[in-house]
């Protein structure tokens, strides 16, 4: 993934603001289409959000710090662990590109 951060990309502003405003955060998944429209996301961004494709969003210019936030917004952040739906969706987006680092025994 060649992530070139684009500070003007609407998805960056959406993620930044939604993680700070409870009223936007609550029920985001149920209102995702409405929220994406209100932030002016392109159709490519919208499709990446719908399919929770964080790799595509990263390629479009979403800040690397925000990429895991995408899966948490869609799948929830409760019981956040490596086995959570959000973490699994993140890993799925990158497939074999993510190398798991484990301490050697």
């Amino acid at each position: 993934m060649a992530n070139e951060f684009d500070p003007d990309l609407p998805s960056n502003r959406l993620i930044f603001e939604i993680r700070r405003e409870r009223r936007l955060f609550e029920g985001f998944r149920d209102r995702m289409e409405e929220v994406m429209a209100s932030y002016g996301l392109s159709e490519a961004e919208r499709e990446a959000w719908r399919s929770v494709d964080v790799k595509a969003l990263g390629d479009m210019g979403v800040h690397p710090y925000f990429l895991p936030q995408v899966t948490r917004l869609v799948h929830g952040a409760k019981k956040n662990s490596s086995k959570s739906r959000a973490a699994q969706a993140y890993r799925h987006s990158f497939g074999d590109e993510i190398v798991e680092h484990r301490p050697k025994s």
Side-chain angles (χ1 to χ4, degrees):
M1 175 177 74
N3 186 298
E4 293 290 328
F5 169 57
D6 178 356
D8 297 321
L9 188 72
S11 284
N12 283 312
R13 187 169 57 90
L14 182 155
I15 297 165
F16 179 81
E17 291 178 4
I18 206 164
R19 295 292 296 160
R20 288 173 166 39
E21 294 186 37
R22 183 173 278 303
R23 69 174 183 79
L24 291 173
F25 180 77
E26 291 175 348
F28 169 76
R29 183 178 177 147
D30 296 332
R31 296 182 350 270
M32 188 164 57
E33 293 295 328
E34 172 191 333
V35 173
M36 289 190 299
S38 72
Y39 277 84
L41 272 64
S42 68
E43 187 54 39
E45 285 175 279
R46 291 176 192 213
E47 185 53 40
W49 275 91
R50 289 177 192 122
S51 60
V52 195
D53 188 346
V54 293
K55 182 179 183 311
L57 287 166
D59 290 343
M60 287 179 221
V62 170
H63 193 285
Y65 173 78
F66 288 159
L67 293 175
Q69 304 302 319
V70 171
T71 60
R72 291 181 188 123
L73 285 167
V74 175
H75 293 294
K78 290 184 179 178
K79 298 182 182 178
N80 198 19
S81 73
S82 62
K83 304 249 187 260
S84 70
R85 288 186 66 200
Q88 293 302 314
Y90 184 85
R91 291 176 61 92
H92 178 75
S93 279
F94 290 99
D96 293 335
E97 290 183 38
I98 292 183
V99 176
E100 198 167 315
H101 297 281
R102 294 188 179 170
K104 294 181 181 181
S105 302

